[in-house]
Amino acid sequence: MATQAHESKQTNLRRADALRNDERILEAAKRLLEQSPSATLSDIAIAAGVSRSTLYRRFPSRDALIAKLDSRPQDGAVQLAESGEGPLPVGRLGRQRSLALDAIQVFDVVPPALLPEQLVAEAQRIAEVPVALYVLDIDGSRLLHMAGSTRLGKELEAPFAIGPELDADGIAILRNELAEFRGVELFALWLRGRAIGALIAFGHPREALTELARQAAAAVTLADRYTDAFASAQRGKQPKAAAEIQQSLLPPRISRVTGAEVAGNVLPTYEVAGDWFDVVENPDGIWITLADGLGESTRAGASSAVALGALRASRRSGATIGEALMVIHQTLRSSLTGIRPRMNWKSPTALTWRH
């Protein structure tokens, strides 16, 4: 009898946990979809602080989640332009409520080098608690402190990071790890299926920083091309010159494309120089390119930069895969002295699929 009672208690606890997860997911979905009707299930998982697997166990599809929202009397006002994961119809990209922060305005009025402190100051004004800004090391090993409170120290271990970015599962794990610190809440700088950092609030914020963090991610992405502030904060040590060239060549490490998610990185981040990859989605399909630079160290970095430039120039001019590879080959032959004019045909290799 005692065993049965114990099992019944455990079952009730699991059910209570499941119900709490349901409510967290639904409340997060309600807030997020009102602000951004095109938000995906991954976006909602981030906002709810759960992994994607947990969300999918509770709601196997976006339609199921929306149906549950619509069945709640208090949520009847939540109406979406489209129930699928795809883009919204033309003319339905507006938001239904004002933003706490507008990324474009912030980018226009705040000097890029001062953006970290300004973002933290705005977050603290809204939350009325201390806030810290952390960004990910380029090797994905840890989050590095950039601005605000230092209560958690100068660095935090980053679970399952892919280079300087985290996916929804990584954010959920990090949030669970931070739960051991009483009164600490994490809000991911989330943009197109990836988190480039986090705002961490110390104490229960007066208002959630979810939307501010999303706008901050957009502002940081825009500002990163105008200042070294963010790149410097993401480097726990000085990379080799060739590795720095390599970092400048790489696309986002986690890329959300139509119907899929692509992730990749190069290791070791601070030392390697020539390998690179490229991911881009165009109206005619998705191009994925993998390449092994010719030569070693700086020479490999230089050859990779030339090859990637040739690829993008030809691709943007409407070339086919074969034509793009030939342009890379011919460009390397004519521009890089001291490197054998023979392509390593193991790579670059281009793969593509059409819509």
Side-chain angles (χ1 to χ4, degrees):
M1 293 296 292
T3 300
Q4 290 178 347
H6 176 74
E7 290 177 351
S8 177
K9 181 179 179 180
Q10 291 299 313
T11 299
N12 289 335
L13 288 173
R14 285 194 294 270
R15 287 174 179 169
D17 287 341
L19 289 173
R20 281 194 293 270
N21 278 337
D22 282 359
E23 286 304 310
R24 288 177 64 184
I25 292 168
L26 291 169
E27 285 300 318
K30 177 180 181 294
R31 293 193 306 270
L32 190 56
L33 292 172
E34 285 178 345
Q35 297 165 345
S36 180
S38 61
T40 66
L41 288 178
S42 292
D43 296 333
I44 294 168
I46 284 288
V50 300
S51 67
R52 283 177 297 186
S53 59
T54 296
L55 189 147
Y56 280 110
R57 281 198 304 271
R58 309 307 303 166
F59 304 98
S61 68
R62 196 168 184 267
D63 287 339
L65 176 57
I66 293 166
K68 184 65 174 179
L69 275 176
D70 289 340
S71 70
R72 303 168 86 205
Q74 67 272 28
D75 296 334
V78 178
Q79 297 294 330
L80 301 183
E82 182 141 329
S83 61
E85 290 278 0
L88 290 171
V90 174
R92 296 193 181 183
L93 293 179
R95 292 177 179 267
Q96 298 176 356
R97 62 170 62 173
S98 60
L99 300 175
L101 177 147
D102 185 299
I104 300 299
Q105 181 186 16
V106 169
F107 177 65
D108 279 341
V109 302
V110 178
L114 301 181
L115 185 57
E117 289 75 16
Q118 289 291 328
L119 290 175
V120 168
E122 183 67 8
Q124 291 180 156
R125 182 187 69 81
I126 293 172
E128 296 185 354
V129 295
V131 175
L133 172 63
Y134 283 81
V135 293
L136 283 140
D137 191 304
I138 57 173
D139 69 1
S141 63
R142 54 209 161 140
L143 288 108
L144 302 175
H145 179 270
M146 190 171 188
S149 173
T150 57
R151 294 186 187 185
L152 293 180
K154 291 295 185 180
E155 60 183 58
L156 301 169
E157 185 178 351
F160 298 108
I162 303 174
E165 298 166 10
L166 280 166
D167 66 3
D169 291 343
I171 288 293
I173 294 170
L174 180 60
R175 185 176 277 114
N176 288 337
E177 291 179 351
L178 290 177
E180 67 180 74
F181 300 99
R182 186 175 181 181
V184 173
E185 293 193 35
L186 180 144
F187 301 90
L189 271 62
W190 184 254
L191 186 67
R192 286 205 62 81
R194 63 194 180 103
I196 59 175
L199 290 171
I200 298 178
F202 300 93
H204 185 66
R206 180 176 63 86
E207 293 184 23
L209 299 176
T210 304
E211 183 59 30
L212 183 141
R214 289 168 62 86
Q215 291 294 312
V220 168
T221 300
L222 289 169
D224 192 41
R225 299 192 63 178
Y226 294 83
T227 178
D228 287 333
F230 295 97
S232 297
Q234 289 180 303
R235 284 150 176 77
K237 61 181 181 180
Q238 181 175 335
K240 289 186 176 179
E244 188 64 44
I245 294 174
Q246 183 184 50
Q247 287 296 312
S248 70
L249 301 179
L250 298 175
R253 308 306 187 272
I254 303 171
S255 180
R256 192 179 70 203
V257 296
T258 301
E261 186 176 77
V262 181
N265 196 28
V266 291
L267 296 171
T269 302
Y270 286 92
E271 306 295 332
V272 290
D275 299 339
W276 56 270
F277 65 94
D278 194 49
V279 180
V280 67
E281 181 174 13
N282 288 330
D284 64 342
I286 300 165
W287 288 61
I288 299 178
T289 309
L290 307 174
D292 178 6
L294 302 174
E296 298 178 356
S297 191
T298 307
R299 188 171 68 172
S303 71
S304 293
V306 170
L308 181 56
L311 167 68
R312 289 175 175 170
S314 56
R315 188 182 66 209
R316 292 166 182 173
S317 299
T320 65
I321 300 171
E323 291 168 343
L325 286 172
M326 187 54 64
V327 169
I328 295 173
H329 179 63
Q330 293 171 344
T331 303
L332 287 172
R333 283 178 60 97
S334 62
S335 64
L336 297 177
T337 59
I339 296 180
R340 291 179 297 171
R342 177 180 61 82
M343 284 295 293
N344 176 2
W345 285 105
K346 180 178 71 174
S347 51
T349 299
L351 305 174
T352 186
W353 64 90
R354 304 291 182 183
H355 291 306

